[in-house]
Each structure stands twice: as structure tokens, then as C-alpha cells.
Amino acid sequence: MTRMIFYTAATLDGFIATEDHSLDWLLSRRTEDDGPAGYNEFIAGIGAMVMGASTYRWILDHAGEDKWEYDQPCWVFTHRDDLPVAKGPDGPGDIRFTQADVREVYAEMAEASDGRDLWMVGGGDLAGQFADRGLLDELIVSIAPVTIGAGRPLLPRYLEL
């Protein structure tokens, strides 16, 4: 059964990015891709992914527009019209820019995933939109031993409840 998983990292004080959407705090920490919440095992079960425009832009800015490492189709929620299509070693990535409702995108992702899981890559507000509609099945959050004092909360939609 296909599940939507928000697999992410947060700081001790509950942020997933700085106020300017940076993840530099995370990349300054040592990670174990084959550890208990191992990325390698996780990504092997992913059939499609989704992220917000800020997360997508950050990945391109830090990895390079020609270093896309994902084989899975990726939906990017955006109102921007200036985002490039990332390229990997075999050509352009399967990037699908959208402004559609999350229910519609979820259905498209589930169909494209061939029965594998869906990865909510980034954007706490976007994850909240999927959760609001009952489409977020699991959270896997690694807590990094760092505080940043302010930034983008893990799930900002639920701070006001």
C-alpha cells in the first residue's frame, strides 16, 4: 500500500530550515545513510516525491542544476515561473511543476509510484496541507543536535492550534 512519508530532519528547537530557507545547519552534521533512520533503505522504497519551490531551489543551488540525483518523478509546488528543470547524468529529471490541489497531486503521485511510497521532501506548510486532507501517513524526523533560534518550523500549520 502506498504511503506518504514526511522524512526530514529538524533542529532541537523544531525548525527544518532557517528563515531564508537554508539547510546549511543540517549539512554541517555527520549523517549515517545506513543508520537507524537510514536514507539508503528509505529512498529505495520511494516511487515519487514532492516538495515546495524553496526546497527545490535550495537543492539546485547547493547540488547544482545538473546534479539531480533522483530517478523518481518529482512534483514541485510553485507559483514561480523561473525554476529550471534539474538535470541528472541521463538528462533532464522528471520534474513536474504544479499549483494543483494536493489531493490531485497525491493521486498522480500514487499512480506514478508503481505501489511504492511517496516522499514529502520539504516544506512544513506543504506537509501540513497533505496532513489536513488525511494524505500524510507517517513522519520520520531525525533531530539534529543543533539550535538555530528561528526559522521554518517543522509543521507551521499546527503551531496555532
Side-chain angles (χ1 to χ4, degrees), residues 56-135:
Y56 179 73
R57 182 77 257 172
W58 191 90
I59 290 170
L60 296 185
D61 288 347
H62 288 80
E65 292 180 14
D66 60 346
K67 302 283 189 210
W68 189 251
E69 63 181 75
Y70 304 105
D71 296 325
Q72 302 88 340
C74 178
W75 280 257
V76 177
F77 277 82
T78 185
H79 293 287
R80 301 178 190 181
D81 59 3
D82 63 340
L83 292 173
V85 174
K87 297 173 188 66
D90 299 323
D94 186 353
I95 311 297
R96 304 171 191 200
F97 300 111
T98 186
Q99 295 178 24
D101 182 80
V102 296
R103 281 193 193 281
E104 179 182 330
V105 172
Y106 181 91
E108 293 172 11
M109 293 174 66
E111 185 175 332
S113 74
D114 196 27
R116 294 184 294 163
D117 289 332
L118 312 176
W119 179 17
M120 162 55 60
V121 179
D125 184 67
L126 184 58
Q129 291 177 48
F130 280 91
D132 288 348
R133 288 167 182 84
L135 301 172

Side-chain angles (χ1 to χ4, degrees), residues 7-88:
Y7 179 92
T8 192
T11 63
L12 284 171
D13 49 357
F15 299 104
I16 60 173
T18 64
E19 290 179 325
D20 63 349
H21 304 281
S22 175
L23 300 174
D24 288 341
W25 63 269
L26 178 59
L27 299 180
S28 69
R29 306 290 164 216
R30 187 173 75 79
T31 60
E32 296 180 21
D33 288 346
D34 291 314
Y39 174 79
N40 292 334
E41 182 178 342
F42 170 77
I43 196 68
I46 296 300
M49 47 201 284
V50 62
M51 64 184 72
S54 295
T55 301
Y56 179 73
R57 182 77 257 172
W58 191 90
I59 290 170
L60 296 185
D61 288 347
H62 288 80
E65 292 180 14
D66 60 346
K67 302 283 189 210
W68 189 251
E69 63 181 75
Y70 304 105
D71 296 325
Q72 302 88 340
C74 178
W75 280 257
V76 177
F77 277 82
T78 185
H79 293 287
R80 301 178 190 181
D81 59 3
D82 63 340
L83 292 173
V85 174
K87 297 173 188 66

